[in-house]
Amino acid sequence: MELSYTIFLLLLFIITGETVYATGGVKPTKLFVFGDSYSDTGNNPKSLASSWKTPYGETFPGKPAGRYSDGRVLTDFVGLRLIEVPLQVSKDCTSNQTMFMGIKSPLPYQWRKYGGNKLQNGLNFAYGGTGVFDTGNLQPNMSTQIGFLDGLIKEKVYTKWDLESSLALVTVSGNDYGAYTSSGGSEQGLSSFISHVVNQIGINIKRIREMGVPRVLVTSLQPIGCLPRETIFSSYQQCNVSRNAASNFHNQLLQQVVTGLNNSTKDSSFLILDLFTTFNTVLKNKGDFTGSLKFNTPLKPCCEPTSSDASCGSLDENGKKLYTVCNEPDSTFFWDSVHPSQAGWRAVYLTLRSSLNRIYT
């Protein structure tokens, strides 16, 4: 009986081109992305975003392209992981072929009218600098981003089948907390605000699931205290312990929310991509285990501003650079004061492989 079922699944793959699993699920063919600069691949306006300025994009694609890195970001590597998964026809039988038919990094939402058949890969609704709530940068927050997909569903750009064969990635890198602090929020009120943010994340990812997306990946908060904007005060030698404690509290609450949602759906629809542990692991090991160049000074960014009021990509009134760039971006985990380099994201991706594999179980 098991052999006949396996043969049936294999024939179904040959006929339809879809990877089918013994659990009855279908391999995702579309990726919908919501969040901030950790997943934005070009939505922010060119007139406002540093991601469209030199030296961003110098590694990939060789010029600024809207990504907050020298190259690829988390979105690109999640898509890459899907491409590399071997074809499975049952729980006990794996083909000796690797099927390169996964999800390509989806088109930024702002370019959707020019996307043509690229829309079949999904869409990226993430905008750098945004948060779960409004952060003051005038770009759409996460609820609004999800509303964009809802609008496309109502316009029948995406069908029920499109959603059932899709995957969602949701990134939260802490812009809400930066906005809270800059607007005068107190340390005493931070715990309550973190609870407010995480509760809204739960509402948002549940909404995505109810729209028809069967699996939602949501990132934990990275160790904010290890970002170069924090470690610069110790000459890039030490992380800020109190900032990391706040990240840890956020993640504890997020785990509770996700566990509750999975218990209610009874199908493990929600999965946390643990950036907190992953960042810490890569930084501690200096990237040694990834097979790439060693991150000799893992807390130091490749692109550094030369003054306190400048940032990567800044120029003075005469067009002079107010930043320096290292010779080998591949040897640094961080690209700028907040964002990983392409090599950094690759190291994160390699560390997250076991979690990403769960998409197919």
Side-chain angles (χ1 to χ4, degrees):
M1 180 65 180
E2 177 65 27
L3 180 60
S4 298
Y5 185 56
T6 298
I7 293 174
F8 166 74
L9 290 175
L10 182 57
L11 287 174
L12 186 59
F13 166 77
I14 294 172
I15 293 170
T16 66
E18 296 291 348
T19 305
V20 183
Y21 298 86
T23 56
V26 177
K27 176 184 174 183
T29 60
K30 291 176 178 60
L31 178 63
F32 294 113
V33 183
F34 309 90
D36 48 39
S37 57
Y38 273 26
S39 55
D40 183 4
T41 55
N43 273 318
N44 269 351
K46 291 185 177 181
S47 59
L48 299 177
S50 62
S51 56
W52 289 102
K53 299 178 181 178
T54 302
Y56 288 83
E58 70 169 32
T59 299
F60 173 85
K63 61 181 180 180
R67 288 172 171 82
Y68 288 83
S69 178
D70 63 306
R72 296 171 178 84
V73 296
L74 180 60
T75 301
D76 303 301
F77 284 102
V78 168
L80 176 64
R81 179 59 196 153
L82 301 182
I83 293 172
E84 293 178 347
V85 173
L87 166 65
Q88 288 182 279
V89 292
S90 77
K91 288 183 178 178
D92 304 312
C93 179
T94 303
S95 165
N96 59 3
Q97 290 182 293
T98 299
M99 304 306 296
F100 296 95
M101 51 178 298
I103 305 173
K104 295 181 180 179
S105 189
L107 192 74
Y109 174 71
Q110 74 156 329
W111 306 113
R112 66 194 181 282
K113 294 181 180 179
Y114 312 102
N117 61 6
K118 290 184 179 179
L119 294 181
Q120 67 186 359
N121 299 323
L123 276 174
N124 187 333
F125 300 93
Y127 284 76
T130 64
V132 177
F133 302 112
D134 290 338
T135 57
N137 75 339
L138 304 180
Q139 300 306 310
N141 65 24
M142 190 178 294
S143 296
T144 303
Q145 294 172 24
I146 297 170
F148 290 157
L149 176 58
D150 191 31
L152 294 176
I153 294 169
K154 291 176 180 177
E155 295 172 11
K156 302 189 184 306
V157 175
Y158 291 111
T159 65
K160 179 181 178 181
W161 169 250
D162 288 327
L163 295 171
E164 289 177 349
S165 59
S166 70
L167 172 74
L169 171 65
V170 177
T171 65
V172 178
S173 63
N175 291 322
D176 291 282
Y177 303 130
Y180 173 84
T181 301
S182 63
S183 63
S186 67
E187 286 292 328
Q188 293 79 7
L190 181 58
S191 295
S192 177
F193 182 68
I194 291 175
S195 298
H196 187 42
V197 170
V198 174
N199 286 339
Q200 185 62 43
I201 292 174
I203 293 170
N204 287 346
I205 61 178
K206 182 181 179 183
R207 180 184 175 193
I208 295 170
R209 177 67 184 91
E210 290 174 343
M211 290 166 69
V213 179
R215 182 61 64 91
V216 182
L217 312 181
V218 57
T219 61
S220 69
L221 194 61
Q222 78 281 15
I224 290 179
C226 294
L227 299 179
R229 71 181 181 192
E230 298 290 340
T231 63
I232 188 174
F233 301 109
S234 64
S235 299
Y236 305 117
Q237 297 300 310
Q238 295 180 335
C239 298
N240 185 309
V241 176
S242 63
R243 293 284 189 269
N244 282 354
S247 291
N248 195 42
F249 180 61
H250 170 106
N251 295 333
Q252 289 175 356
L253 296 182
L254 180 64
Q255 183 64 64
Q256 294 173 14
V257 166
V258 168
T259 298
L261 288 172
N262 279 330
N263 288 339
S264 66
T265 60
K266 297 182 174 60
D267 60 2
S268 299
S269 298
F270 306 94
L271 175 66
I272 294 176
L273 293 184
D274 189 358
L275 295 191
F276 184 86
T277 301
T278 303
F279 272 47
N280 278 329
T281 299
V282 174
L283 292 171
K284 179 180 179 181
N285 289 282
K286 299 185 178 181
D288 262 353
F289 64 94
T290 66
S292 56
L293 290 175
K294 183 177 180 181
F295 303 140
N296 291 314
T297 53
L299 299 178
K300 184 178 181 179
C302 176
C303 187
E304 290 185 89
T306 55
S307 64
S308 59
D309 58 347
S311 59
C312 181
S314 293
L315 304 175
D316 67 14
E317 62 275 10
N318 298 316
K320 181 182 177 181
K321 296 178 182 178
L322 296 177
Y323 62 90
T324 60
V325 180
C326 67
N327 293 327
E328 292 183 292
D330 282 351
S331 68
T332 64
F333 178 79
F334 286 107
W335 166 246
D336 60 19
S337 63
V338 175
H339 308 99
S341 63
Q342 175 175 283
W345 279 124
R346 178 179 179 272
V348 168
Y349 148 69
L350 290 172
T351 311
L352 283 172
R353 279 182 299 182
S354 60
S355 295
L356 292 169
N357 281 338
R358 291 170 57 192
I359 298 169
Y360 299 95
T361 58

